């Protein structure tokens, strides 16, 4: 705690230094990197969740206030810190167990939840203030936090070196990019889920990166809508060329929601394909508690598979 407050104190000095001498302001956000490293330390047990600590007066909101920055800068610093965490695992310094998926959970689950909390708190504050003193200035300020998120994600596309996905999630990033192409082209798979879309993962024109995954995580938290797919440079190539294998295919989770039995082949597909909604998880849980013995075993295997492992949108 002492080191943290020391960093905050030096932050205000660094802010003045940056303004007057043109030095980099990246050190202002160093506490976020340190925070992410600390929550990876398995020897510590935090009294509050990582989302709560990241959200509140102890970190992002405090840094934004102390550094006197816009929400655009604060959110951009937050995304960059989370992306750096993922990239550091590409060449781990020590330890035999890969932590890539844990770091991806920080980027795609913990960070979007923290952003959602910040935006909710900020917008609630402006609503309360505008109710007591109605004026145009409150209406203008109400949307600044959410617009800051949009601006930060748009600028995130400039950091290509941080956006290369780990090999283990390259196919998922490709699917996220393909979902954007499908949406712009007017094609849906019924559920609207990029995880549930059957497609050729190496499809031409659907090379995805980490920003595609971050945007999908924000959409699942109602922080963005699909208008993000229209951002300049978000979709590469022509939007009227649908990747081969997308159209007309039915996802394995769609079959489950329609009541299909858990055959061995369907079970294997579900184990390796993350669910994208709580309703899908509840459907499998129902089978796990009320089905036959064979169905219970299959449902348990599915729940222990990719759904809870990489189902970032429902974590």
């Amino acid at each position: 705690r002492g080191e943290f407050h020391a960093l905050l104190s030096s932050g205000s000095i660094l802010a003045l230094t940056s303004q007057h001498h043109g030095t980099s302001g990246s050190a202002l956000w160093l506490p976020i990197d340190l925070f992410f490293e600390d929550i990876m330390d398995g020897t510590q047990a935090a009294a509050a969740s990582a989302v709560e600590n990241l959200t509140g007066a102890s970190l992002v909101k405090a840094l934004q206030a102390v550094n006197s920055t816009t929400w655009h800068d604060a959110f951009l610093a937050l995304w960059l810190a989370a992306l750096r965490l993922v990239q550091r695992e590409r060449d781990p310094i020590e330890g035999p167990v890969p932590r890539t998926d844990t770091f991806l959970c920080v980027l795609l689950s913990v960070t979007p939840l923290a952003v959602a909390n910040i935006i909710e708190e900020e917008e609630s504050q402006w609503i309360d203030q505008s109710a007591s003193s109605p004026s145009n200035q409150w209406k203008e300020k109400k949307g600044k936090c959410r617009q800051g998120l949009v601006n930060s994600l748009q600028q995130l596309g400039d950091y290509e070196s941080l956006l290369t996905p780990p090999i283990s999630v390259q196919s998922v990033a490709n699917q996220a990019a393909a979902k954007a192409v499908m949406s712009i082209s007017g094609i849906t798979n019924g559920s609207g889920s990029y995880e549930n879309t059957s497609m050729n993962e190496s499809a031409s024109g659907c090379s995805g990166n980490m920003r595609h995954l971050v945007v999908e995580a924000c959409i699942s938290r109602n922080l963005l809508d699909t208008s993000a797919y229209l951002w300049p440079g978000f979709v590469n190539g022509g939007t009227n060329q649908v990747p081969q294998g997308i159209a007309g295919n039915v996802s394995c989770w769609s079959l489950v929601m329609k009541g299909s039995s858990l055959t061995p082949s369907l079970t294997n597909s579900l184990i390796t394909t993350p669910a994208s909604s709580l309703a899908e998880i509840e459907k499998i849980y129902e089978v796990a508690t009320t089905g036959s013995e064979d169905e219970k075993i299959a449902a348990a295997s599915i729940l222990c598979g990719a759904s809870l492992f990489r189902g970032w949108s429902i974590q």
Side-chain angles (χ1 to χ4, degrees):
R1 182 175 298 273
E3 293 174 354
F4 174 75
H5 286 297
L7 280 166
L8 284 181
S9 299
S10 64
S12 58
I13 299 173
L14 284 168
L16 293 174
T17 303
S18 299
Q19 293 170 10
H20 294 290
H21 299 286
T23 57
S24 172
S26 60
L28 300 177
W29 308 103
L30 178 60
I32 299 179
D33 290 87
L34 297 180
F35 173 81
F36 284 148
E37 288 294 336
D38 284 344
I39 64 175
M40 292 296 107
D41 186 353
T43 63
Q44 299 182 10
S49 73
V51 174
E52 292 173 343
N53 286 330
L54 189 58
T55 301
S58 59
L59 199 57
V60 176
K61 293 185 73 173
L63 289 172
Q64 190 266 344
V66 168
N67 296 333
S68 298
T69 65
T70 63
W71 280 116
H72 166 209
D73 292 330
F75 287 142
L76 180 61
L78 180 59
W79 295 121
L80 292 177
L83 284 168
R84 283 194 293 268
L85 183 73
V86 174
Q87 296 298 334
R88 281 197 289 276
E89 181 60 17
R90 287 180 173 277
D91 187 21
I93 298 175
E94 59 184 12
V97 181
R99 299 186 296 173
T100 302
D101 282 285
T102 306
F103 291 168
L104 286 166
C105 287
V106 172
L107 172 66
L108 301 174
S109 183
V110 172
T111 301
L113 284 172
V115 170
N117 286 350
I118 291 171
I119 290 178
E120 181 180 0
E121 290 176 6
E122 288 295 305
E123 292 187 346
S124 297
Q125 175 187 359
W126 298 125
I127 290 174
D128 293 341
Q129 291 176 337
S130 62
S132 60
S133 177
S135 64
N136 290 332
Q137 66 170 329
W138 300 125
K139 295 180 182 179
E140 293 174 1
K141 289 183 178 180
K142 177 180 178 293
K144 283 189 175 180
C145 191
R146 191 177 294 269
Q147 187 59 46
L149 170 64
V150 172
N151 294 342
S152 71
L153 290 173
Q154 289 176 334
Q155 188 177 347
L156 201 60
D158 297 337
Y159 296 86
E160 294 184 8
S161 62
L162 291 176
L163 297 181
T164 304
I167 295 176
S168 61
V169 292
Q170 178 65 67
S171 63
V172 186
N174 292 347
Q175 290 174 17
K179 181 191 174 186
V181 174
M182 291 170 61
S183 178
I184 295 173
S185 303
I187 296 176
T188 63
N189 66 353
S191 68
S193 163
Y194 71 92
E195 293 100 335
N196 291 348
T197 304
S198 298
M199 64 184 68
N200 181 354
E201 292 176 351
S202 60
S204 174
C206 284
S207 177
N209 59 36
M210 296 305 297
R211 186 168 71 138
H212 291 103
L213 293 179
V214 169
V215 166
E216 286 302 323
C218 289
I219 289 175
S220 72
R221 304 292 177 190
N222 296 319
L223 296 171
L224 299 173
D225 57 34
T226 53
S227 63
Y229 300 154
L230 299 174
W231 292 347
F234 192 79
V235 173
N236 296 322
T239 58
N240 55 359
Q241 181 180 358
V242 180
Q244 182 181 4
I246 287 184
N249 288 337
V250 179
S251 74
C252 55
W253 283 101
S254 294
L255 294 175
V256 170
M257 298 304 288
K258 292 177 181 178
S260 298
S261 59
L262 296 179
T263 62
S265 60
L266 180 57
T267 298
N268 289 336
S269 296
L270 294 169
I271 289 174
T272 57
T273 306
S276 64
S277 70
L278 182 59
E280 293 166 344
I281 293 294
E282 289 176 336
K283 184 75 172 180
I284 293 297
Y285 180 75
E286 180 182 349
V287 175
T289 54
T290 63
S292 65
E293 287 303 311
D294 288 342
E295 288 176 331
K296 288 180 178 180
I297 293 173
S301 299
I302 293 167
L303 289 174
C304 293
S307 294
L308 300 183
F309 189 54
R310 284 187 178 165
W312 300 301
S313 60
I314 63 170
Q315 282 181 355

